[in-house]
Amino acid sequence: MSINRRNFLKGALAGGTLLAAGAPVEARPNKTMPPDAVGLLYDSTLCIGCKACVAACKEANDMPPEFSTTEQLWDTPLDISGKTLNVIKMYKDGTGETKDVEKDGFAFMKVSCLHCADPSCVSACPVSAMTKDPVTGIVGYDKSICIGCRYCVAACPFGVPRFQYDRALPQISKCQLCRHRIADGKYSACAEVCPTGATLFGKVTDLQAEAKRRLALKPGEESQFPRGNLNTHDQSPHTAKVAHYIPEVYGEKEVGGTQVIKLSAVPFDQLGMPKLPERSYASVSETMQHTLYGGLLAPLAFLGVLTYVAKRNVKDDENDDK
Ligand code: SF4
Ligand code: SF4
Ligand code: SF4
């Protein structure tokens, strides 16, 4: 009734061959955004902290107010949450006297989904409730598919998706670039109401060119900045003095690029924007998964072969005993 040693070794050899076949999978490159992807350019130096964009976002997306004061008189969200898709945060150092200065100054930063070119929330979602539109590149969410696992919350390098813990039927909450408005021929509400053009909507390639144009301007000189929709010129431009920009477009390279890009005169990490590699998290995790599963398949196949050999040998031994 024992396993025949010769057959065991034959099985082990077959399993070894399968193991060898489970060679590591090549790392996949970053995915790129569609050519006609749309997004936002947020220029911190033009932002006056009026929060019109926060109010417009709430109204356009039917989100409830959120209170951070005991009086509960005003909608006063301090961060994005299950009730708030967009906030303006403030940086302040020392005396906080001068705008757009790192030391003893202050600056603003818009916080909302960046619509990554290769989004890790989409990669992590096991049921495809998070998807990236093949034309606009907008990262959308389908509450009817979502199972509430919160993998997207853990996967996002910017901490964007939020879970509505306080609701009986919780959903994930995140900016979807006002895709319902875009479907109606409009554009992002936050960009539409921004009085200075600090939040500007448009085709990402044109927003990137506009960002580069601003970086090439002479600091201190007066210049004109488009407002609203960069591609339709639906609003008259805003006139302001050119700031001392950090020579960097945030979102141009981070995790493979984002469709919401940013300019600032204060280092981005001071404004809460993380320093990230150019390699997308999705490409890294998907490569690891494939390598891991590829490596797991071989041992599983090996185990299967061993089980088959053991069963067959037991039968053979039983027949031999007869
Ligand atoms: S509406 Fe424009 S200027 Fe006002 S807080 Fe928002 S981004 Fe800044
Ligand atoms: S910022 Fe986060 S939630 Fe938005 S697309 Fe990128 S990974 Fe997804
Ligand atoms: S694009 Fe729409 S949902 Fe996103 S932050 Fe702006 S107003 Fe809010």
Side-chain angles (χ1 to χ4, degrees), residues 40 53 56-57 60-61 85-86 110 112 175-178 188-191:
L40 301 171
C53 56
C57 178
N61 293 281
L85 309 177
N86 171 49
K110 185 181 193 291
S112 58
C175 154
Q176 299 182 67
L177 214 68
C178 287
S188 301
C190 54

Side-chain angles (χ1 to χ4, degrees), residues 122-138:
V122 171
S123 172
C125 181
V127 293
S128 298
M130 288 281 183
T131 50
K132 187 161 180 73
D133 187 279
V135 177
T136 64
I138 292 172

Side-chain angles (χ1 to χ4, degrees), residues 238-315:
H238 172 70
T239 305
K241 281 192 176 165
V242 178
H244 288 82
Y245 288 109
I246 302 276
E248 178 192 343
V249 181
Y250 190 92
E252 190 178 33
K253 292 180 179 157
E254 283 76 9
V255 284
T258 60
Q259 290 177 212
V260 173
I261 54 175
K262 306 188 184 207
L263 290 175
S264 171
V266 172
F268 287 102
D269 56 337
Q270 297 281 20
L271 302 183
M273 300 309 299
K275 285 185 176 170
L276 294 169
E278 291 184 21
R279 181 93 190 268
S280 78
Y281 284 11
S283 73
V284 175
S285 66
E286 283 176 24
T287 301
M288 278 170 63
Q289 279 169 22
H290 289 144
T291 308
L292 197 65
Y293 294 153
L296 271 177
L297 275 179
L300 284 174
F302 183 28
L303 188 65
V305 168
L306 282 184
T307 310
Y308 168 73
V309 170
K311 275 191 174 167
R312 196 190 58 185
N313 287 348
V314 167
K315 258 191 201 160

